[in-house]
Amino acid sequence: MIRKHTTLHLVPRTASVAQWDAKGDVKLSFKLSDWDFDPVPGLLYVVTRAISSRVNANYDAWPASELRKSYKSFIGRGVYVDHHNWDKERSRGVILDARLDEKKLANGHDDTSVYLLIEVDAQAYPKLAKSILAGDIDAVSMGADVGYTVCSICKNAAYDTTEYCEHLYMKGMKLPVYDGLQRKEALVYEDCYDVNFFEISFVFDPADESALVSDAWLAAPAQFVSRTQHKIRERNESLEDYKRRMPKAAKRSRRKTSDSTELIVPEAVDT
């Protein structure tokens, strides 16, 4: 098993966005109005693009076929900041739902991506909520375990890092390859397979530059709101068991509307 995150950056943020769209734009598909859910007073609801079928800035690739198989593993996982995910007590919320989006970009490339509906405990973590609402934090980064990866150059399959071929120590470089007598250069990256997503984190600088927040809304705060930790799916809990335990966590269609409200909180509370 190989663990992957998409925060570490190896190239400037704007460079790989331009590879996606002829105009350099990321087209975000989903808003909160595309979901049906029961808002809890004092909680923040966020829609974000989480991952896409591309070679990201860490030179990890996520084939569309793998995203189709694995995107629902996001449901019920914890929400963190900067991948501080080793303890559920550090969670800031929970992923309520995940959707697959498939379309063709303006440059003709196929784009398969995953969007998430996230619930953040704005009462317990007001600084984080304020930063998201203000747009100061507008990106996310996923965490995933992958069963194996395949080298783009030699097609070696590695089930852990000790099985990496020599090419993967040169990820991001272009190496000469031959098609018959024709010489060309190919980018070194690894395709990820048997993917299991186990968290999403709010970050400032994602490796997948298209992993951006598309919508955020604060439900009117109550005097007291319970934490969201009890909604997080346990590592060994199946999606079916989680849905039985949390029957409203993955409802879809249209969202119930409510007036937005200003978040008024004490400044000293930890994010």
Side-chain angles (χ1 to χ4, degrees):
M1 182 180 69
I2 302 172
R3 179 149 291 187
K4 295 289 184 181
H5 297 92
T6 54
T7 304
L8 178 64
H9 242 218
L10 301 179
V11 297
R13 179 167 182 171
T14 55
S16 57
V17 174
Q19 298 173 10
W20 277 86
D21 190 283
K23 298 178 181 178
D25 297 327
V26 176
K27 307 297 184 183
L28 300 177
S29 298
F30 290 106
K31 300 288 187 180
L32 282 164
S33 58
D34 295 305
W35 264 277
D36 179 27
F37 61 96
D38 295 326
V40 176
L43 300 188
L44 177 69
Y45 294 90
V46 179
V47 173
T48 185
R49 178 168 159 134
I51 191 171
S52 53
S53 57
R54 62 185 294 267
V55 180
N56 66 26
N58 292 337
Y59 300 102
D60 295 324
W62 308 89
S65 59
E66 292 302 305
L67 294 184
R68 292 187 196 104
K69 291 190 295 184
S70 64
Y71 77 95
K72 289 185 179 180
S73 64
F74 270 118
I75 298 173
R77 303 305 192 186
V79 178
Y80 299 88
V81 175
D82 287 332
H83 299 299
H84 293 171
N85 55 42
W86 55 87
D87 184 354
K88 192 168 71 172
E89 290 293 321
R90 297 185 67 91
S91 67
R92 277 30 180 172
V94 63
I95 301 169
L96 297 181
D97 199 11
R99 291 190 181 183
L100 192 71
D101 185 45
E102 299 185 82
K103 62 186 177 184
K104 190 174 290 292
L105 299 178
N107 59 13
H109 294 168
D110 291 328
D111 176 37
T112 299
S113 60
V114 180
Y115 282 77
L116 305 179
L117 173 63
I118 294 172
E119 182 182 79
V120 175
D121 193 336
Q123 294 291 77
Y125 306 106
K127 292 181 182 178
L128 174 62
K130 282 186 173 181
S131 295
I132 295 169
L133 287 168
D136 296 330
I137 297 178
D138 66 349
V140 298
S141 172
M142 65 84 207
D145 291 323
V146 301
Y148 66 99
T149 67
V150 175
C151 171
S152 63
I153 302 297
C154 68
K155 307 306 178 185
N156 174 70
Y159 290 83
D160 60 58
T161 56
T162 63
E163 299 177 352
Y164 275 174
C165 62
E166 60 183 8
H167 305 114
L168 292 187
Y169 294 100
M170 297 179 280
K171 286 173 66 175
M173 296 179 61
K174 289 188 175 181
L175 300 180
V177 296
Y178 290 88
D179 183 6
L181 298 178
Q182 185 177 8
R183 182 182 184 275
K184 58 182 181 180
E185 289 189 335
L187 180 68
V188 182
Y189 61 89
E190 53 184 325
D191 281 307
C192 298
Y193 294 91
D194 288 349
V195 181
N196 179 39
F197 298 108
F198 62 83
E199 63 110 341
I200 196 75
S201 284
F202 286 102
V203 296
F204 289 100
D205 198 17
D208 185 338
E209 290 87 349
S210 70
L212 302 174
V213 171
S214 60
D215 204 1
W217 171 78
L218 176 68
Q223 191 70 21
F224 172 79
V225 180
S226 62
R227 299 284 292 275
T228 59
Q229 292 172 5
H230 69 284
K231 297 182 181 180
I232 296 174
R233 181 155 60 106
E234 300 292 341
R235 284 290 178 95
N236 297 325
E237 185 178 15
S238 70
L239 182 57
E240 291 72 22
D241 289 341
Y242 175 77
K243 285 183 176 180
R244 283 192 289 268
R245 182 166 65 87
M246 300 293 298
K248 295 183 179 180
K251 290 174 62 179
R252 298 183 175 185
S253 176
R254 287 188 171 273
R255 161 185 165 266
K256 297 178 181 177
T257 59
S258 178
D259 294 334
S260 61
T261 183
E262 182 181 0
L263 180 62
I264 302 174
V265 294
E267 294 296 332
V269 182
D270 183 25
T271 57

